[in-house]
Amino acid sequence: MNAPSVPFLDIGATYVECKSALDDAYQRVMASGWYIVGNECNSFEEQWAAYCDAAHCVGVGNGLDALVLILRAMDIGPGDEVIVPSSTYIASWLAVTEVGATPVPVEPDPRTANLDPSRIEAAITARTKAIMAVHLYGQAANMDAIVRLARQFGIRVIEDAAQAHGARIGDRRVGAIGDAAGWSFYPGKNLGAFGERSRQEVCKCASGGGFLGG
């Protein structure tokens, strides 16, 4: 007797559920002849920024690009250190090494798998320029404690929110709590788009600065 097969990830079910709206959007885009940036991209940026209660949203190619651009906008590079969770997707670390900075790993809270604020201070040095908090598995990191510590030491807070669309801390959505955030809309993410290169991944600045993403 064969055991029933349970799909690991049934992306097709999302299409069936939203078929009418998705087909309308597809036909609208195809009829416009405008497939890169343009009105559809502008509309997405405006709506996503409003949804996150952020100042700005800018579409870029993918979530790694979003994080790299945040770091560059903060003038973080060679000789600088960025505190990152030891448990995260590799893009969090790759963004730091891409700009020439050094990732400094900090162990997670075993209850949440997110960055443990109680371990961060011991990792801060004179070269620390930012803390990158990653919200894993739809669970928000302890941003109140992380931001409080960062402000104490005068360093920036970056949110890698690629796995936390819509997650909240009280009445605040993640991504609008730190100085900037990167998002991902890869098909397998919590909120995914369709297509390998349509992974519209977003990066944002919550408090009046630029909001980067794609």
Side-chain angles (χ1 to χ4, degrees), residues 5-73:
S5 176
V6 178
F8 176 73
L9 178 63
D10 187 0
I11 296 176
T14 304
Y15 170 67
V16 172
E17 181 180 351
C18 304
K19 183 177 187 302
S20 179
L22 290 171
D23 287 351
D24 287 347
Y26 167 77
Q27 296 295 340
R28 183 177 68 249
V29 171
M30 295 305 293
S32 75
W34 199 340
Y35 313 129
I36 301 172
V37 298
N39 293 334
E40 297 289 339
C41 183
N42 292 340
S43 177
F44 168 78
E45 291 168 343
E46 292 169 2
Q47 292 182 52
W48 189 251
Y51 175 78
C52 295
D53 194 26
H56 306 287
C57 168
V58 179
V60 300
N62 54 66
L64 175 57
D65 286 352
L67 294 173
V68 168
L69 289 169
I70 289 174
L71 292 164
R72 287 179 176 165

Side-chain angles (χ1 to χ4, degrees), residues 116-177:
D116 187 345
S118 69
R119 301 172 186 263
I120 293 175
E121 186 170 351
I124 294 175
T125 72
R127 298 197 298 167
T128 305
K129 291 296 180 68
I131 300 169
M132 184 180 292
V134 182
H135 307 296
L136 282 179
Y137 317 123
Q139 288 198 115
N142 186 345
M143 291 302 295
D144 289 336
I146 292 170
V147 170
R148 185 165 55 246
L149 184 65
R151 299 299 176 251
Q152 177 184 338
F153 285 90
I155 55 185
R156 311 299 288 272
V157 176
I158 300 166
E159 296 177 72
D160 181 339
Q163 295 186 32
H165 309 74
R168 291 177 178 271
I169 301 174
D171 61 353
R172 298 167 300 166
R173 294 192 192 278
V174 300
I177 300 171

Side-chain angles (χ1 to χ4, degrees), residues 64-65 67-69 71-72 76-78 91-103:
L64 175 57
D65 286 352
L67 294 173
V68 168
L69 289 169
L71 292 164
R72 287 179 176 165
I76 294 173
S92 308
W93 286 51
L94 289 177
V96 178
T97 58
E98 175 69 18
V99 300
T102 301

